[in-house]
Every structure is written in C-alpha cells, then in structure tokens.
C-alpha cells in the first residue's frame, strides 16, 4: 500500500500549489468547527467530571468559563486563521516574524494526536458493529474490551477502516469534503444525542436489594449544585477541572481552529459564528451528561458514576445497555452511532490541520499532503494498537497516572504541547502584537465585537495565568497544587 501511495505522489507533478478554498457559508463553517469540538472528550470526560465535581457546581463554572476563557481562545485562533489565510504551521510567523517555532509545536499537536485518535475510532467502530449485529450482550462481559484491544489484527484493521473514511473526506477538500459531510453528520449526531438523552431520563430500574432509581433521579444528581463539603481546595479543583475540560473541548491549541479559520471568507460575520460554535459545543457537552449520567445512576447507582474515559464508554455503558433488556441493543447501537459520528468529525479536523500545514509549508497539493500524513498516521497507529499486546509496557507519568503508548502520546500532546501553544498564543497576541489586531479582524466588516473589553483583559492577563497554573498542575511539577 505504501508503494502505491508513493507512485500516486510522484505521478502528481503537475500541481505544486493549490488555491486555498473557503467555506461556502457560515453554516458550513459553524457545523465543521462544532463537529471538531464535539469529540470523544465531550462524551466520556465531561459527564465524569460533572458527577465528580458536584453536578451543577461543575456546570455553573463550565458555563462561566465557556463565556470568558473559551470565548477568548476560540476567537484568537479563528481570527488568526482568517487574517493570515494560513495553516497553524505557517500562521504564527505571518502574524510576527520569528514566531515560527510556536507554529511548529501547534502543528505537532495534531500529528501526535491523529494516530491514537484513529485507534480509538477503530474501537468505536467495533462496538457500533457489535450492536448493529445484535451482539450487545457479549460487549457487556467484563473482559470483552481488554480482550479486544489485546488482539494483534482486528484493532489494526478497524483503525485502518476508520482512517480511510476520514481520509476520503479530507481528500475531497473543504467544500465537497469537510463542509458537505458536516452538513449531513452533525444534524444526525444532534438527533441521536437528543433522542438518547430523552430516553435516558425516562428509564427506571429496581436493583437486587429492592431499591428503585429513575433517570430523573440521575438528572437531579447531574444538574443540581451540591456545595456540601466544599472547601477552598475542592473549589480550585472544580475550577481547574472545568478549565481543563473546556480547553480540550473547544479544540483550541491544536491548530484546528486556525486551519478552519483560514477557510472563512472575509465577508463572514466572525463574531456571530464564534458565538454559535460556543453555544453548539456547550449544549452538546451538557446533553452528553444527560445521556450518560442518568443511565449510569439508574442501573449502577452512585458507584457507576465514577467511570471515565475508555472504561466508561467501552466497559460501564455496555453493562448499562445489557441491563435494559431488548432495548439495550437498540439504544447501544444508537449511542455508538452517535459516538462514531462525533469521532469522525473530530478526526477529520485533526487530519485537516496537518494536511493544510503541509500544503502551506511545502507548497504541495492536497492529495500529496493527505497521502504523506496518511502514511505517517497509519504507521504510528499500528504502533499504538500493538501497544496493548506485542509492544505492551507500563510506566508512571509525572502526574502519577499509569501509561502505555497511547497514554504517553496523549500526555505529550494534551498536557505539554497544547498548554505551551495556548500560553504562547496569549503572549503573542496579548503582549507582542496587541489584542487590537484580533479585535480589528473580527470587526473588519463593520460588525461590533461583543465582549471586546472582556477579550482584552482575558488575553493579556487572566488566560495566560490560568493556562500556566493548569500546565503546572497537569504535568505534576508541584504535586501539592
């Protein structure tokens, strides 16, 4: 396959520079950007943090931070992209000469993320097929997930199939690929999210001890603030958790929003689009909790709400679906279809950030850039898959968590490079070129930028401090924080 790919590259000598396309309309841009933000982090991390941090307490802080911190970072990256018409690798040096290193780190983030994201995408595809074929009860077995990822071949094949899907979308370009697919996938995703959320709050279950719990009871646990036992330390824990979730949820510091911003036309109302992306992401994140927490609470009690990440999606939830009886396969199939859609839109945006960077930096065509990155991602993806069998090892990261190959890549990208990119962006815009550069870009067509004063204060002072504190805490430099 690799040989075939190189043959295609060398045949394609006639195109060295491809004209930058743009989204045909603001709806396409908003759906694509929201699709990037609505990823696995919203589905498997947001509900866990909300349950852990007092339900409505976490939701309250998250909403406040989304309107301030999230708004600032989202605005900066999209505006940088539109102003420079460049990808993350080259955009920073266009803003200020000498800042190319920050662009390199911003490009490395999606390069590191893509191999393990397509691996997880393969896992999601596996579970979707299991429920589609009516074998959901098997997925509820205790060792089903670990047995699956420990296999030599199946995870690699499914990872490859998942990658082929996103590769085709990106290869088709901005309009026919990313924008067109987002207009189909995102409405379907929303319908599934809303449908599952409604079903989740209508269920009830009586356990072996005779205790009956309902979805509405679980919903109350999720949305009603619980300030009991709140201390200064736990207060800061909630703030840091909410900040960290927002940081990853909005796809900032990954180069994605710069790449997508570069495809936004100069005539588009940037401020309005940013507000819509904020609302879309926040609503879906909230509904992810409505889908999951009431169901977990109903069938597994308070103890079941402590699961997060892969253990939540691939171990705990299949048990919940099995407890639903005949409806389990239907609900499980709908759920994993929704997760598959979310994974696809996010993975497409990650691949596009890399492809656009290669196109701008090396002046090559979209096809060449996509094939080159495809080879890199697939080779690294195979290594990630083998990290659970032939290449298995276990080390302890600086933050205290145990890790394999996937976890190490996640740690480097999410906990080291992304905060560095975000902090560097705040310094560049807040102190080197000045916030007015971004404000003028948002207002270039005469629109008034809402929250401009807030943006000024956040980008210069609050956001860099927040990010530095989050960075120090996440890497475990000072364990007492």
């Amino acid at each position: 396959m690799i040989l075939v790919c190189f043959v295609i590259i060398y045949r394609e000598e006639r195109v060295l520079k491809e004209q930058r396309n743009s989204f045909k309309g603001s709806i396409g841009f908003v759906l694509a950007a929201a699709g990037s933000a609505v990823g696995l982090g919203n589905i498997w991390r947001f509900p866990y943090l909300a349950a852990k941090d007092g339900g409505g307490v976490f939701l309250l802080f998250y909403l406040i931070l989304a309107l301030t911190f999230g708004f600032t970072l989202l605005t900066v990256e999209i505006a940088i992209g539109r102003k420079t018409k460049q990808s993350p690798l080259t955009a920073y040096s266009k803003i200020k000469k000498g800042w190319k290193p920050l662009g390199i780190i911003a490009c490395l983030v999606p390069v590191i993320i893509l191999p393990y994201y397509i691996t997880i995408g393969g896992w999601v595809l596996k579970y979707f097929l299991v429920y589609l074929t009516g074998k959901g009860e098997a997925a509820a077995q205790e060792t089903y997930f670990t047995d699956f990822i420990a296999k030599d071949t199946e995870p690699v094949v499914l990872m490859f199939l998942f990658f082929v899907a996103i590769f085709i979308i990106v290869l088709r370009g901005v309009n026919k690929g990313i924008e067109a697919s987002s207009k189909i996938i995102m409405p379907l995703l929303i319908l599934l999210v809303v449908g599952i959320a409604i079903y989740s709050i209508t269920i009830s279950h009586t356990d072996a001890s005779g205790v009956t719990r309902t979805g509405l009871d679980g919903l109350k646990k999720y949305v009603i603030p619980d300030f009991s036992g709140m201390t200064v330390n736990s207060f800061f824990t909630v703030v840091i958790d909410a900040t960290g979730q927002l940081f990853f949820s909005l796809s900032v510091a990954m180069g994605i929003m710069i790449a997508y911003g570069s495809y936004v036309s100069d005539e588009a109302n940037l401020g309005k689009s940013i507000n819509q992306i904020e609302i879309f992401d926040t609503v879906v994140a909230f509904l992810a909790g409505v889908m999951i927490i009431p169901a977990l609470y109903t069938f597994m009690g308070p103890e079941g709400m402590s699961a997060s990440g892969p253990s939540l999606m691939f171990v705990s939830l299949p048990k919940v679906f099995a407890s639903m009886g005949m409806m389990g396969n239907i609900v499980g199939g709908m759920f994993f279809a929704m997760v598959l859609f979310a994974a696809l839109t996010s993975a497409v945006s990650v691949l596009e950030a890399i492809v656009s960077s290669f196109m701008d930096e090396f002046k090559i065509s979209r096809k060449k850039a996509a094939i080159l990155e495809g080879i890199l991602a697939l080779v690294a993806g195979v290594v990630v898959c083998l990290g659970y069998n032939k290449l298995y090892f276990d080390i302890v990261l600086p933050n205290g968590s145990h890790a394999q190959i996937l976890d190490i890549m996640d740690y480097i990208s999410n906990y080291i490079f992304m905060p560095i990119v975000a902090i560097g962006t705040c310094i560049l815009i807040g102190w080197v070129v000045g916030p007015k550069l971004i404000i003028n870009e948002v207002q270039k067509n005469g629109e008034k930028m809402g929250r401009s004063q807030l943006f000024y204060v956040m980008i210069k002072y609050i956001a860099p401090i927040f990010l530095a504190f989050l960075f120090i805490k996440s890497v475990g430099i000072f364990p007492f924080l």
Side-chain angles (χ1 to χ4, degrees):
M1 177 192 169
I2 293 176
L3 180 61
V4 173
C5 290
F6 274 118
V7 169
I8 293 172
I9 290 175
Y10 286 119
R11 276 182 175 177
E12 197 191 48
E13 295 177 349
R14 56 188 172 78
V15 181
L16 288 176
K17 186 175 182 180
E18 185 172 307
Q19 184 179 2
R20 180 168 293 273
N21 291 319
S22 61
F23 291 110
K24 289 183 178 178
S26 60
I27 293 176
F29 165 59
V30 170
L31 289 175
S36 170
V38 180
L40 296 174
N42 267 355
I43 297 168
W44 71 25
R45 193 167 182 265
F46 190 95
Y48 156 72
L49 290 176
K52 178 178 80 73
D53 291 334
V57 177
F58 176 85
L59 295 178
L60 177 63
F61 281 110
Y62 184 88
L63 182 60
I64 293 171
L65 289 167
L67 296 173
T68 54
F69 181 79
F71 159 75
T72 301
L73 295 181
L74 200 58
T75 300
V76 164
E77 295 205 357
I78 293 174
I80 286 176
R82 188 173 79 165
K83 182 173 182 62
T84 62
K85 298 299 181 188
Q86 293 288 301
S87 62
L89 181 58
T90 52
Y92 286 99
S93 58
K94 291 283 185 181
I95 293 292
K96 183 70 177 178
K97 189 176 180 181
W99 282 75
K100 182 68 172 285
L102 187 61
I104 294 173
I105 299 173
C107 184
L108 281 174
V109 172
V111 169
I112 296 171
I113 288 175
L114 188 60
Y116 73 77
Y117 208 96
I118 60 176
T119 298
I120 299 172
W123 299 351
V124 175
L125 179 58
K126 163 71 174 180
Y127 274 69
F128 171 66
L129 293 174
V130 166
Y131 280 93
L132 189 66
T133 54
K135 300 175 182 176
E137 284 193 13
Q141 301 302 312
E142 191 66 38
T143 62
Y144 186 85
F145 177 62
T146 53
D147 289 345
F148 161 62
I149 62 174
K151 292 179 180 178
D152 293 340
T153 307
E154 190 178 9
V156 175
V157 172
L158 290 167
M159 177 269 294
F160 176 77
L161 292 176
F162 181 84
F163 176 78
V164 168
I166 67 168
F167 178 82
I168 291 171
I169 292 172
V170 170
L171 198 61
R172 286 176 60 82
V174 177
N175 303 133
K176 295 180 180 179
I178 298 170
E179 187 171 6
S181 63
S182 296
K183 287 180 177 179
I184 296 171
I185 293 175
M186 291 308 293
L188 289 174
L189 186 149
I190 292 300
L191 284 174
L192 288 170
V193 168
V194 172
I196 298 169
I198 291 172
Y199 179 77
S200 183
I201 61 177
T202 62
I203 55 178
S204 64
H205 175 70
T206 302
D207 62 21
S209 61
V211 176
T212 299
R213 290 182 294 270
T214 68
L216 282 174
D217 294 332
L219 182 64
K220 291 175 184 176
K221 289 279 185 182
Y222 177 48
V223 299
I224 298 176
D226 181 10
F227 291 98
S228 61
M230 176 74 71
T231 63
V232 174
N233 186 53
S234 60
F235 169 81
F236 280 109
T237 297
V238 176
V239 173
I240 292 298
D241 282 348
T243 306
Q245 174 60 27
L246 186 75
F247 186 59
F248 304 126
S249 175
L250 290 175
S251 293
V252 291
M254 300 168 67
I256 292 170
M257 291 304 169
I258 293 178
Y260 277 7
S262 72
Y263 303 134
V264 177
S265 70
D266 288 330
E267 292 74 31
N269 187 329
L270 209 58
K272 182 179 177 182
S273 295
I274 291 168
N275 291 338
Q276 291 169 342
I277 295 167
E278 275 186 287
I279 294 169
F280 204 115
D281 178 73
T282 304
V283 169
V284 173
F286 171 76
L287 288 175
V290 178
M291 281 193 306
I292 293 170
I293 290 180
L296 285 175
Y297 180 80
T298 300
F299 290 98
M300 304 181 75
E303 303 80 20
M305 295 164 64
S306 62
S308 67
S311 65
L312 168 64
M313 186 173 296
F314 301 114
V315 180
S316 297
L317 284 175
K319 292 179 181 178
V320 170
F321 298 143
S323 301
M324 294 178 179
M326 292 181 63
M327 281 296 295
N329 263 313
I330 298 173
V331 177
M334 291 174 61
F335 175 79
F336 280 105
M338 179 274 300
V339 177
L340 184 60
F341 289 154
L344 282 170
T345 54
S346 292
V348 162
S349 67
V350 175
L351 177 57
E352 178 60 26
I354 306 167
V355 168
S356 64
S357 291
F358 286 1
M359 290 168 64
D360 290 339
E361 176 68 18
F362 304 116
K363 303 297 184 291
I364 58 177
S365 69
R366 173 171 291 274
K367 184 182 287 187
K368 286 184 180 180
I371 291 174
L372 287 173
E373 170 51 25
I375 294 170
L376 293 173
L378 286 173
V379 170
V382 170
V383 173
V384 173
C385 290
L386 296 179
Y388 293 98
N389 42 73
K390 294 185 183 300
L391 301 179
Y392 179 83
F393 60 83
D394 185 87
I395 65 169
V396 179
L397 296 173
N399 61 5
S401 61
H402 288 259
Q404 288 78 52
I405 294 174
L406 187 152
D407 307 294
I408 293 170
M409 295 172 74
D410 179 70
Y411 180 81
I412 293 171
S413 59
N414 289 2
Y415 293 94
I416 297 178
F417 283 175
M418 284 171 65
I420 289 174
V421 172
I423 293 168
T425 302
C426 288
I427 293 171
L428 172 63
I429 300 302
W431 297 93
V432 178
V433 299
K436 198 70 177 172
L437 180 88
I438 300 299
I439 295 173
N440 288 341
E441 178 62 29
V442 175
Q443 298 181 153
K444 71 188 303 178
N445 296 314
E447 307 96 344
K448 196 73 176 174
M449 178 179 174
R451 295 176 280 176
S452 59
Q453 292 301 315
L454 171 67
F455 173 81
Y456 185 91
V457 174
M458 289 294 297
I459 198 68
K460 280 184 73 75
Y461 306 108
I462 301 176
I465 295 171
F466 246 59
L467 288 165
F469 186 73
L470 180 66
F471 176 59
I472 292 169
K473 185 178 186 298
S474 63
V475 298
I477 297 175
F478 300 116
F480 55 83
L481 286 177

